[in-house]
Amino acid sequence: MAKETLSFVIPCYNEEEGILNLYQRLVPVLEKLKKDYNLELIFIDDGSTDKTNELLHMHFGKLSYTKIIKHDKNMNIGAGFRTGFENAKGDMVITLDSDCTYRPEEIPKLLEVMKNGDYDLVTGSPYHSEGKVENVPRYRIFLSKSISVLYRIATGRKIHTFTSMFRAYKKHVVKNISFKSNDYLSPAEILILAINKGYKVGEMPTTLHVRQFGHSKFN
């Protein structure tokens, strides 16, 4: 039986301080996944003005399955997702923060939850009762939790985290959802549109960590 293809979509904006850390943490995970999947690694350099693009090519460019796409100007995270989804050819798509605030080591678990639950979409959920948040600024936790509560009420779905970027999608989800947000509301919009289309959505309790390198782009 032919292997499924797993696509990774990772937007980056001025992340030069964290690219090496991402490489060191992500590549061992990819090496394990290669046993069961064909891989496609898509970076969207969203108009970085530092050495992000150079470092992506230096570290990840040597992997045959890497594709690095550069936006001419900064268009924000939602635009990065759109570019990534348009270029992804995998049977499943993983989205991941470049700053490792969600640990790459948890990707196999995310895929396991998706397959065992036969979900169309699984989102990493630090605000789940079994999830955790470590050393993240309180204002960010308050905003994210508040937004998630409002979305939970509006959708009538018992989903704890709507704002996480750490997700696994089946191909038909990313190819059939058209979202408009360019900013950090885009993960929530994508999730709500998936719910409205009747896709089966699951959550995986996870830990949200404070970033170790560079500065947050959260606004």
Side-chain angles (χ1 to χ4, degrees), residues 123-174:
T123 186
S125 183
Y127 305 134
H128 189 281
S129 59
E130 298 176 19
K132 296 179 182 178
V133 178
E134 292 187 355
N135 301 319
V136 175
R138 290 186 179 182
Y139 78 90
R140 180 176 174 182
I141 298 172
F142 174 77
L143 289 173
S144 294
K145 279 191 172 182
S146 299
I147 290 170
S148 292
V149 168
L150 292 174
Y151 286 142
R152 187 159 65 246
I153 294 170
T155 60
R157 298 291 295 272
K158 193 176 179 181
I159 296 174
H160 301 83
T161 307
F162 281 78
T163 53
S164 172
M165 286 176 55
F166 183 41
R167 290 185 186 161
Y169 301 86
K170 289 186 178 176
K171 181 178 182 178
H172 61 261
V173 178
V174 300

Side-chain angles (χ1 to χ4, degrees), residues 4-211:
E4 289 184 301
T5 297
L6 185 60
S7 297
F8 292 82
V9 172
I10 307 177
C12 305
Y13 176 59
N14 287 348
E15 292 288 352
E16 63 178 8
E17 294 179 47
I19 296 300
L20 177 58
N21 179 56
L22 176 63
Y23 177 80
Q24 291 173 337
R25 302 193 73 150
L26 180 58
V27 169
V29 178
L30 297 176
E31 287 300 311
K32 293 179 181 178
L33 291 172
K34 278 173 62 177
K35 299 174 184 177
D36 299 310
Y37 300 94
N38 295 314
L39 301 181
E40 180 182 50
L41 185 58
I42 303 173
F43 289 98
I44 297 88
D45 175 6
D46 190 31
S48 296
T49 55
D50 63 1
K51 294 182 179 180
T52 294
N53 197 271
E54 176 185 337
L55 292 171
L56 286 173
H57 279 90
M58 179 186 299
H59 295 295
F60 291 99
K62 54 193 172 186
L63 303 176
S64 61
Y65 47 83
T66 296
K67 179 185 294 184
I68 300 169
I69 302 170
K70 183 172 177 62
H71 287 166
D72 292 334
K73 61 180 181 179
N74 179 242
M75 298 167 67
N76 221 323
I77 192 71
F81 283 144
R82 272 194 291 275
T83 298
F85 292 167
E86 288 167 2
N87 284 274
K89 297 179 173 62
D91 302 287
M92 291 180 287
V93 178
I94 302 288
T95 55
L96 182 70
D97 303 68
S98 60
D99 58 12
C100 295
T101 48
Y102 292 99
R103 298 302 193 227
E105 293 84 356
E106 290 201 286
I107 292 169
K109 183 180 176 183
L110 193 69
L111 292 168
E112 182 181 348
V113 171
M114 171 174 269
K115 291 197 170 185
N116 289 344
D118 194 26
Y119 293 112
D120 298 297
L121 184 165
V122 175
T123 186
S125 183
Y127 305 134
H128 189 281
S129 59
E130 298 176 19
K132 296 179 182 178
V133 178
E134 292 187 355
N135 301 319
V136 175
R138 290 186 179 182
Y139 78 90
R140 180 176 174 182
I141 298 172
F142 174 77
L143 289 173
S144 294
K145 279 191 172 182
S146 299
I147 290 170
S148 292
V149 168
L150 292 174
Y151 286 142
R152 187 159 65 246
I153 294 170
T155 60
R157 298 291 295 272
K158 193 176 179 181
I159 296 174
H160 301 83
T161 307
F162 281 78
T163 53
S164 172
M165 286 176 55
F166 183 41
R167 290 185 186 161
Y169 301 86
K170 289 186 178 176
K171 181 178 182 178
H172 61 261
V173 178
V174 300
K175 298 302 182 183
N176 290 316
I177 285 182
S178 178
F179 59 99
K180 297 180 180 179
S181 300
N182 281 337
D183 56 21
Y184 280 87
L185 290 177
S186 55
E189 183 183 359
I190 294 168
L191 184 55
I192 291 169
L193 290 172
I195 291 170
N196 289 343
K197 281 184 173 287
Y199 293 131
K200 188 177 180 182
V201 175
E203 285 188 284
M204 182 194 78
T206 189
T207 301
L208 173 63
H209 303 266
V210 69
R211 67 157 58 221

